[in-house]
């Protein structure tokens, strides 16, 4: 069934709805190994100090 499924996705690239075209293209690219990098959230543990001097002293 893979060839049928792939043909369906390719056909959807020409759908009248731009949203459907976008989703089909994104899905094909994702499955082809062109997925965007995953986002990572980094936490900083500890203390951060900022020293701002507004004079020339």
């Amino acid at each position: 069934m893979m060839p049928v499924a792939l043909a369906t996705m390719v056909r959807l690239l020409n759908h009248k709805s731009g949203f459907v075209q976008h989703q089909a293209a994104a899905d094909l690219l994702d499955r082809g190994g062109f997925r965007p990098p995953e986002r990572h959230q980094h936490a900083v543990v500890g203390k951060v100090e900022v020293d701002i001097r507004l004079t020339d002293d």
Side-chain angles (χ1 to χ4, degrees), residues 43-57:
V44 177
V45 178
K47 181 177 166 184
V48 176
E49 291 185 30
V50 177
D51 184 16
I52 301 175
R53 296 180 185 193
L54 301 175
T55 63
D56 292 332
D57 295 343

Side-chain angles (χ1 to χ4, degrees), residues 12-33:
L12 289 174
L13 292 173
N14 295 315
H15 193 274
K16 64 181 179 179
S17 167
F19 177 77
V20 173
Q21 292 175 7
H22 173 79
Q23 292 298 318
D27 192 50
L28 287 169
L29 288 170
D30 182 54
R31 293 170 194 276

Side-chain angles (χ1 to χ4, degrees), residues 23-42:
Q23 292 298 318
D27 192 50
L28 287 169
L29 288 170
D30 182 54
R31 293 170 194 276
F34 295 97
R35 84 177 35 139
E38 294 182 19
R39 296 178 187 212
H40 298 281
Q41 184 174 0
H42 300 281

Side-chain angles (χ1 to χ4, degrees), residues 1-13 24-25 27-29 31-32:
M1 296 306 298
M2 288 301 296
V4 175
L6 180 58
T8 300
M9 294 301 293
V10 171
R11 255 192 347 269
L12 289 174
L13 292 173
D27 192 50
L28 287 169
L29 288 170
R31 293 170 194 276

